[in-house]
Amino acid sequence: DGNGDTLLGQPIVRGFDASAQMDYSSVSPFPSGQRDSWSGRWSGCILNPSPSNARQPVTVSLRIRGDDGLRVWLRGGGIIDQGSYYWTSVDTTVPNIVLSPDRCTPITIAYRQGGGPALWSIEWSYTIPGVDTVTYTIIPRAYLRPSQFDSDTAEQRACTGLRGQYYRNQNRDGYPLELV
């Protein structure tokens, strides 16, 4: 299956994952039980955490952790590129990311599992003066959307989490198995 770094091909499993974390260290994402030599891609966007009565830009820091290859893009630009390394841990903080009060910020995570622990997480830390302070916690599902929306309707708020795609190889090649 090789070591390709492309995001081409059709995923084996698709679905919506509940939060900005994944841990398949003791289970498999596949019905076949395969636990090693797979890859995944999660995409969606992060909502601004300020309450509706205090809509303002919020500056967050993101802490990204994972085991095996990991790449993260925010607004289409790469912020983490550990995708070509195997059996390595990633623990990186990216400060000063401004989340707009009226738009979802696009995020994509690409992951490659070689063997051993299979996990990643994205935590955020921020302060909204006079409202709230959060110190590095997993981004809650309520602040994740599987795609970017131009408005904030009740129907769109009901669709939360990131869109996950899983592949049976480390190249992100092949056909998907749907997961809903």
Side-chain angles (χ1 to χ4, degrees):
D1 284 325
N3 298 332
D5 293 329
T6 66
L7 293 175
L8 302 175
Q10 297 296 316
I12 299 298
V13 178
R14 283 187 196 153
F16 295 103
D17 290 321
S19 69
Q21 67 180 345
M22 179 277 307
D23 187 346
Y24 284 110
S25 297
S26 60
V27 296
S28 170
F30 304 105
S32 68
Q34 176 183 339
R35 290 177 50 191
D36 294 329
S37 299
W38 59 273
S39 59
R41 174 179 40 213
W42 293 264
S43 59
C45 61
I46 303 172
L47 291 172
N48 177 313
S50 67
S52 59
N53 63 344
R55 299 302 287 171
Q56 58 187 317
V58 174
T59 301
V60 302
S61 293
L62 297 180
R63 182 164 56 196
I64 298 142
R65 297 177 171 180
D67 194 313
D68 283 8
L70 190 64
R71 289 185 171 152
V72 179
W73 294 266
L74 199 63
R75 295 185 192 102
I79 59 171
I80 300 292
D81 188 355
Q82 297 290 327
S84 60
Y85 299 107
Y86 292 91
W87 301 285
T88 187
S89 293
V90 176
D91 189 344
T92 302
T93 300
V94 182
N96 302 321
I97 298 168
V98 178
L99 301 180
S100 169
D102 55 356
R103 295 218 30 108
C104 224
T105 300
I107 187 167
T108 301
I109 299 107
Y111 175 81
R112 178 180 295 137
Q113 167 60 7
L119 52 98
W120 64 261
S121 67
I122 300 182
E123 302 169 344
W124 63 1
S125 179
Y126 61 85
T127 298
I128 303 171
V131 179
D132 195 11
T133 296
V134 171
T135 303
Y136 291 111
T137 185
I138 300 292
I139 299 173
R141 179 181 186 146
Y143 296 99
L144 300 170
R145 298 291 183 271
S147 63
Q148 186 166 348
F149 297 120
D150 292 327
S151 61
D152 190 25
T153 66
E155 181 179 320
Q156 291 167 345
R157 282 191 303 273
C159 186
T160 61
L162 297 174
R163 179 177 185 240
Q165 300 174 304
Y166 298 78
Y167 301 82
R168 287 194 199 278
N169 57 61
Q170 296 173 7
N171 304 6
R172 291 175 288 282
D173 291 334
Y175 288 97
L177 173 66
E178 297 291 327
L179 172 71
V180 274

